[in-house]
Amino acid sequence: MALLYVIKDWDADAWLGAMRALNPGIDLRSWPDAVGRAEEIRYALAWRPPAGALHRLANLQVIFSLGAGVDSLLAGGELPPVPIVRVVDRNLTMRMSEYVVLHVLLHHRRQRILDGQQQRRQWRGPQQPAACEVRVGILGFGHLGQDAGRRLRDLGFQVAGWSRSRKHVRGIQSFAGAGELKAFLNRTEILVSLLPLTPGTHGILNLALFRELARDGRLGAPILINAGRGKSQVEADIVAALDQGILQAATLDVFETEPLPPESPLWSHPKVTLTPHNAADSDPGAISRYVLTQIRRFEAGAPLQNVVDRNQGY
Ligand code: NDP
Ligand code: OXD
């Protein structure tokens, strides 16, 4: 049994090293220079694989995405007709929840205003509502969204989630489907997007959507946090919304083009907090353990977990 790594943009050696540390005898190959005999490869572990890299593997059983999102995998041309398993792992989920809580609190506690006051040596606290007076809405209420939502709920925020199907999470209001999006937005002051990128979510974070957000909250104009995918946002609309006061501030981890081009106005916009797509990194050790567990289950005849629905695109 051989595993083939097809990794772009990440350090492939770190991934092979982490897997070898867990299972020293394992047969690991890497694309493109050390594929070996293609018919021996049963599993592919991929991140942003170039088109065609997973073809001609006659005995391939499963493709493991090394991240939670599979948009780049699915966009990379026709894939062999085997199951695709994506990451759902405590380590990654915790990282994302840390990010969401950090940035909700950053805006809620007005840290950017306080930073400016510190620079000017001003001893003055801005008005501070309690968390229970603030309504957070999470677009994309799946594994990551629900975990972050629970943590925000436990801090006292009024939390709602939007997904395709109805969810039942204690203390969190569920909105489902396109028909309930407007009601979800109308009650939301801090909007967090953890949506996967699919044809249905491409460009969804646009001016028309921002205009629907609640403007009667204690924080003033609404706030956007996007750690889902960059192509879900229309960056020109974010800049316009910030400049026109339709949005008060934005935290962005993901971008239409990554790395974010140097000429993007987002880099220096005073109302933007920006991070380089590292809200929730895939940790090679943790994710290799996850993949190995799935392979052992599969080899023992148990069903794979977290299989991607290719028709839905996530
Ligand atoms: P899940 O598949 O568990 O959750 C996705 C959620 O989005 C589900 O609730 C789903 O609804 C909802 N959804 C999808 N399409 C629509 C739609 N058209 N309308 C309404 N709701 C929709 O994924 P995860 O939570 O594990 O991950 C979410 C995304 O986070 C990833 O796809 C990836 O893009 C991003 N990510 C970003 C990282 C970063 O570092 N910035 C790191 C990891 C992930 P339903 O539940 O009904 O199916
Ligand atoms: C992921 C990511 O999808 O890191 O896991 O973006």
Side-chain angles (χ1 to χ4, degrees), residues 10 47 67-69 92 229 277 280 282:
W10 288 354
W47 182 248
L92 187 142
R229 279 292 183 264
H277 196 147
S282 286

Side-chain angles (χ1 to χ4, degrees), residues 111-124:
Q111 189 56 45
R112 288 301 186 221
I113 296 173
L114 290 162
D115 290 344
Q117 292 181 348
Q118 181 181 344
Q119 298 269 313
R120 295 187 295 276
R121 296 170 181 262
Q122 285 174 332
W123 185 265
R124 192 171 67 210

Side-chain angles (χ1 to χ4, degrees), residues 191-251:
L191 179 69
V192 179
S193 180
L194 292 175
L195 282 168
L197 179 64
T198 70
T201 64
H202 192 280
I204 192 172
L205 300 172
N206 58 37
L207 207 49
L209 179 141
F210 303 144
R211 286 190 202 281
E212 294 292 343
L213 291 166
R215 306 189 61 78
D216 60 349
R218 290 288 311 277
L219 293 177
I223 290 155
L224 169 69
I225 299 172
N226 184 14
R229 279 292 183 264
K231 286 191 167 53
S232 294
Q233 71 198 14
V234 180
E235 285 167 13
D237 284 9
I238 294 177
V239 172
L242 290 167
D243 290 345
Q244 294 167 31
I246 295 165
L247 288 176
Q248 170 188 164
T251 288

Side-chain angles (χ1 to χ4, degrees), residues 48-68:
R48 297 186 179 145
L54 297 171
H55 287 167
R56 288 183 291 281
L57 303 173
N59 295 315
L60 188 69
Q61 301 293 306
V62 184
I63 299 171
F64 290 97
S65 164
L66 294 178

Side-chain angles (χ1 to χ4, degrees), residues 69 71 93 95 107 126 153 179 213 220 262 297:
D71 46 292
T93 304
R95 289 165 190 254
H107 295 294
R153 174 202 64 196
L213 291 166
R297 281 173 53 90

